[in-house]
Amino acid sequence: MAHFNFGLVHALLTPFTSSRIDYDAYGKLIDFHLRNGAEGLALPMHAGESVSLTVEERKALLEFVAKHVRGRAPIIVNVSEAGTGIAASLAAHARQAGASAIIAFVPYYWTPPQSMLVEHFAAIGAAGELPFFVYNSPSEMSEVEFASKSVSDLLGSLPNFVGLIDGSLDWQYMIEVVTVARAIRHDFQFVSGTEYMISAGAIGATGLLSALATVSPRLVRGLYDLCRAEKYKDARKAQEDAAILFRIFQQTGAAGLKAAVRVLGRDCGSPRPPLPAFDDARTQALIAEMSAVETVNTEPRGWL
């Protein structure tokens, strides 16, 4: 297994036209992220409406991205599914299609015990044979947490389990995972799944998976660079701005992100049902909230 360093990874939106994937816009979106600070591309994450895509669409997206990127950046694939076998098949496809790493959340809908979560992730990782990251985000996943003891158990059974992405904002949990995991494997990667990078960096995060980068890539890049250099005091202003935007889009999800990028000249269409598209009034309210963050005015417009 080749070494993989997570770094700063942007979570891609999935553009739609009349509820069909818009591959022309997707190509423009990929190039936009690569020009604006992405060290890697993740797809399809929840910001990319992964749960509204069929298995075949997810495979087709990855194949398109691999062909379009042509090795310019690593591709990290979310293979999460409710069933272990389905997720494992997506992991195997990710390897065949040229992905650099795979990510999996705990199973959708089900709430299995920790022992079954370890088995679930072990099967996915073994099928993918790629660097494997577990994504812990209880608030998104029926309050199911991947416990620190389970992290330890998975490290003992899956050699390609290389890191954990955390979106819980539970600092006590994060410290415990870093302590436990790095006692077993010193190079275990801890990745922040939110843009609260000062706190995550101080705990030991060396990577960031950012959905906010689709709106504010310059802000995210600056914040990440300062925190990687441990210049936390200098990062304070960027962190405050990122926190405001994080809270806005945490509430709106993919629908809000799509409304925002449309205003910024990067139309990715409407979200798929059952997510509602923003009407004019809600879009104007979103613009007003975003405008309160000065750095938004310095972000790129259009596809450049």
Side-chain angles (χ1 to χ4, degrees):
M1 180 186 69
H3 176 74
F4 174 78
N5 180 49
F6 199 91
L8 174 56
V9 174
H10 291 194
L12 297 176
L13 300 179
T14 303
F16 295 117
T17 298
S18 300
S19 206
R20 299 182 66 179
I21 297 171
D22 184 341
Y23 284 103
D24 181 60
Y26 206 39
K28 293 177 183 177
L29 189 65
I30 291 165
D31 293 337
F32 169 82
H33 284 287
L34 293 179
R35 283 193 297 267
N36 285 278
E39 296 174 353
L41 303 173
L43 69 138
M45 302 305 298
H46 292 165
E49 300 172 69
S50 58
V51 293
S52 295
L53 297 168
T54 68
V55 167
E56 291 309 313
E57 285 177 322
R58 291 168 70 173
K59 291 179 178 180
L61 275 181
L62 171 55
E63 291 165 9
F64 175 84
V65 173
K67 184 176 180 180
H68 190 89
V69 170
R70 301 188 310 278
R72 289 178 288 167
I75 301 166
I76 302 92
V77 182
N78 173 25
V79 299
S80 305
E81 266 293 349
T84 302
I86 306 171
S89 69
L90 285 168
H93 175 264
R95 171 175 46 82
Q96 295 161 3
S100 296
I102 53 176
I103 293 169
F105 289 78
V106 300
Y108 297 128
Y109 182 74
W110 307 117
T111 56
Q114 291 292 316
S115 60
M116 290 306 298
L117 291 180
V118 173
E119 288 190 25
H120 175 75
F121 288 134
I124 295 169
E129 299 179 8
L130 292 169
F132 176 54
F133 293 82
V134 169
Y135 198 127
N136 180 67
S137 185
S139 64
E140 292 184 272
M141 305 301 291
S142 304
E143 300 303 324
V144 177
E145 177 183 273
F146 192 55
S148 58
K149 172 64 166 57
S150 298
V151 171
S152 174
D153 291 344
L154 188 59
L155 280 168
S157 62
L158 185 66
N160 57 315
F161 174 39
V162 298
L164 182 129
I165 304 167
D166 189 80
S168 71
L169 296 178
D170 182 341
W171 313 120
Q172 183 176 348
Y173 169 84
M174 293 157 74
I175 291 168
E176 185 175 347
V177 165
V178 170
T179 302
V180 168
R182 288 184 180 162
I184 298 169
R185 194 176 299 165
H186 70 89
D187 59 350
F188 184 83
Q189 296 183 57
F190 176 59
V191 177
S192 180
T194 74
E195 288 79 14
Y196 284 89
M197 194 61 197
I198 288 181
S199 300
I203 289 170
T206 57
L208 170 62
L209 176 58
S210 176
L212 185 57
T214 202
V215 173
S216 294
R218 291 175 183 169
L219 172 63
V220 170
R221 179 80 246 184
L223 173 62
Y224 177 78
D225 287 344
L226 286 169
C227 290
R228 287 294 289 124
E230 299 185 5
K231 295 180 178 179
Y232 299 124
K233 185 175 181 180
D234 294 340
R236 178 76 179 267
K237 179 61 170 68
Q239 181 64 90
E240 290 172 351
D241 286 352
I244 294 170
L245 292 174
F246 173 83
R247 289 193 293 270
I248 291 171
F249 292 108
Q250 184 183 41
Q251 297 298 317
T252 68
L257 289 170
K258 284 194 165 178
V261 296
R262 181 180 299 113
V263 171
L264 293 169
R266 299 186 294 276
D267 191 357
C268 289
S270 298
R272 269 188 175 168
L275 294 182
F278 274 32
D279 59 20
D280 289 343
R282 197 169 181 195
T283 299
Q284 291 304 313
L286 178 65
I287 294 169
E289 287 187 276
M290 291 171 55
S291 297
V293 180
E294 292 181 6
T295 52
V296 170
N297 297 322
T298 69
E299 295 293 348
R301 261 58 178 173
W303 296 108
L304 299 178

